[in-house]
């Protein structure tokens, strides 16, 4: 295989993994906020920050712009160094109904103005965000060894009906911080109920 083609395919694979990580992270954060609203938590921002700190993400900052029984809007999200964050999100919006949120289902998640860097190292291209999330997951798994955890039953169907990421900016930087290139993409994933088969169907779209 041509080395340039191999590097291009590797970059695409890393981009897909990063996009999936962003979707899961954003859906998790917004689901926590939705549940906080559903249970009428008096201090949703404090509740979420405490939950993130316990999960190993104490350096997340955000502004809760709206919290209602059907919508949560979070703005100015930063993970890591505020000057050079691992992840920056301008706006994230989740739409839901209280009944669905309590059942573990979110109608729609839309996120815009996302930036997360890739770094070019001697070993290849890597994502500091994915490395950080992998460390958090690894620490959580190590801390739960030998402890029996009661897991809730997974609700039928997919937990989020639609996830959209708009204006996703991925700068490629050298190890010394210089920006070498920049990639801009939009990602949309939709799950629709299949009335004939009785299951949810999913579809995705990636625009570069």
């Amino acid at each position: 295989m041509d080395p340039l083609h191999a590097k291009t395919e590797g970059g695409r694979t890393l981009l897909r993994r990063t996009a999936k990580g962003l979707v899961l992270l954003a859906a998790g954060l917004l689901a926590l906020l939705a549940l906080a609203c559903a249970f009428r938590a008096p201090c949703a921002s404090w509740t979420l920050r405490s939950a993130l700190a316990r999960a190993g993400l104490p350096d997340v900052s955000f502004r809760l712009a709206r919290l209602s029984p059907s919508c949560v809007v979070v703005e100015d999200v930063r993970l890591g160094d505020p000057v050079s964050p691992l992840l920056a999100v301008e706006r994230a919006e989740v739409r839901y109904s209280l009944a669905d949120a309590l059942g573990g289902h979110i109608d729609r998640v839309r996120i815009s103005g996302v930036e997360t860097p890739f770094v070019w190292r001697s070993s290849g291209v890597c994502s500091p965000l994915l490395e950080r999330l992998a460390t958090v997951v690894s620490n959580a798994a190590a801390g739960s060894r030998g402890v029996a955890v009661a897991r809730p039953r997974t609700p039928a169907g997919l937990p989020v009906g639609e996830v959209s990421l708009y204006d996703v900016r991925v700068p490629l930087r050298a190890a010394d911080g210089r920006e070498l290139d920049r990639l801009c993409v939009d990602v949309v994933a939709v799950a629709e109920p299949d009335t004939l088969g009785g299951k949810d169907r999913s579809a995705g779209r990636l625009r570069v």
Side-chain angles (χ1 to χ4, degrees):
M1 181 182 291
D2 180 67
L4 180 60
H5 179 70
K7 288 182 179 179
T8 301
E9 287 300 316
R12 288 175 178 171
T13 300
L14 184 60
L15 178 60
R16 285 193 292 267
R17 288 177 56 199
T18 301
K20 182 178 179 181
L22 285 172
V23 168
L24 293 175
L25 178 63
L29 295 179
L30 293 172
L32 282 173
L33 276 173
L35 290 175
C37 179
F39 287 108
R40 301 293 195 271
C43 300
S45 294
W46 179 88
T47 301
L48 180 55
R49 287 190 175 94
S50 298
L52 291 171
R54 289 193 299 272
L57 297 171
D59 52 347
V60 175
S61 63
F62 63 90
R63 183 172 67 87
L64 183 57
R66 181 181 176 186
L67 179 62
S68 75
S70 62
C71 177
V72 175
V73 177
V74 183
E75 297 178 345
D76 302 327
V77 180
R78 297 288 186 276
L79 170 61
D81 184 353
V83 178
S84 182
L86 303 179
L87 172 67
V89 178
E90 294 176 6
R91 177 184 172 89
E93 177 182 328
V94 60
R95 294 278 180 175
Y96 58 92
S97 68
L98 286 180
D100 286 343
L102 290 172
H105 180 85
I106 303 298
D107 293 334
R108 184 174 71 230
V109 176
R110 289 186 175 175
I111 305 164
S112 60
V114 181
E115 182 164 322
T116 181
F118 284 3
V119 178
W120 182 276
R121 297 173 182 163
S122 58
S123 57
V125 179
C126 66
S127 166
L129 173 64
L130 287 182
E131 291 177 347
R132 174 68 183 280
L133 294 179
T135 301
V136 170
V137 172
S138 176
N139 292 340
S144 63
R145 281 177 192 156
V147 179
V149 179
R151 299 183 182 276
R153 185 168 57 91
T154 302
L158 297 177
V160 182
E162 175 190 333
V163 177
S164 305
L165 298 171
Y166 296 105
D167 188 23
V168 179
R169 303 180 295 272
V170 184
L172 176 61
R173 296 172 182 164
D176 60 5
R178 291 179 297 110
E179 185 168 320
L180 305 175
D181 203 350
R182 178 173 287 254
L183 178 67
C184 298
V185 300
D186 295 332
V187 182
V188 178
V190 180
E192 298 176 339
D194 185 350
T195 55
L196 296 178
K199 297 181 179 179
D200 285 350
R201 296 177 297 175
S202 61
R205 183 172 71 252
L206 173 65
R207 184 176 68 84
V208 179

